[in-house]
Amino acid sequence: MHHYFLTALGSVFQFQEVRFIEAVVDFLRKGQVEEINLVHNLDCPLKKKIIGHSQELDSRAEKQLFDLYIDHYDRINRCESEREKVRELALLHMERFIPTLAGHPLLARVIAEEGIRMNGMLIDTQSQKIECLPAKTWTRSVYSVN
């Protein structure tokens, strides 16, 4: 019945900041959260900036997404359009999200104890579509566009 939103630039959360993690853990324990959705907008200017090889990457989120882009440069650039490349970058980010949460000493425990499900969403405002992606499908073989 209730929906809560926690946003971060480019959907990149700073899991190394202890105060942030403690606040999230406290909220997950008290908020009766059933599901976490990682949302990526395919019209995100930040992701377009990274795909376009911008030299102006100022934030930690931009630098982290750029590192992900470089690590998977061949996979992303097999895609033809900018939109497909942004989508692939978002999918790669989702693939890293679950292991990050599952491996985090504070977050993993509360997610398991509370039975919180994880999903992803790709928002395409141009076509006015939302693609829902259960976490178990966040693999290259299922959702790669190449």
Side-chain angles (χ1 to χ4, degrees), residues 41-44 48 51 79-90 123-129 145:
N41 183 341
L42 298 182
D43 288 317
C44 174
K48 289 180 178 184
I51 297 298
C79 301
E80 291 186 24
S81 71
E82 176 188 66
R83 188 160 217 73
E84 290 171 328
K85 290 176 184 181
V86 168
R87 183 179 186 277
E88 197 68 20
L89 180 60
I123 308 295
D124 188 341
T125 54
Q126 282 184 0
S127 65
Q128 296 185 340
K129 292 183 180 177
V145 291

Side-chain angles (χ1 to χ4, degrees), residues 20-30 104 106-108 110:
F20 170 73
I21 295 301
E22 288 174 342
V24 170
V25 166
D26 187 53
F27 179 79
L28 292 175
R29 288 204 188 280
K30 294 177 182 175
H104 195 282
L106 297 175
L107 287 172
V110 71

Side-chain angles (χ1 to χ4, degrees), residues 26-114:
D26 187 53
F27 179 79
L28 292 175
R29 288 204 188 280
K30 294 177 182 175
Q32 298 177 331
V33 174
E34 296 176 9
E35 184 176 278
I36 294 173
N37 287 287
L38 180 62
V39 179
H40 282 276
N41 183 341
L42 298 182
D43 288 317
C44 174
L46 185 143
K47 290 181 190 76
K48 289 180 178 184
K49 187 174 167 182
I50 289 163
I51 297 298
H53 300 190
S54 173
Q55 299 299 314
E56 298 174 20
L57 302 176
D58 302 318
S59 70
R60 284 192 283 180
E62 290 169 316
K63 290 172 185 164
Q64 188 173 339
L65 285 172
F66 186 75
D67 288 344
L68 184 62
Y69 174 72
I70 293 301
D71 289 347
H72 299 279
Y73 184 84
D74 290 338
R75 175 179 162 182
I76 292 170
N77 284 292
R78 278 187 233 137
C79 301
E80 291 186 24
S81 71
E82 176 188 66
R83 188 160 217 73
E84 290 171 328
K85 290 176 184 181
V86 168
R87 183 179 186 277
E88 197 68 20
L89 180 60
L91 291 170
L92 283 160
H93 185 260
M94 286 183 192
E95 286 177 18
R96 283 208 179 159
F97 189 72
I98 290 288
T100 299
L101 291 182
H104 195 282
L106 297 175
L107 287 172
R109 181 182 301 157
V110 71
I111 289 169
E113 288 173 359
E114 301 296 324

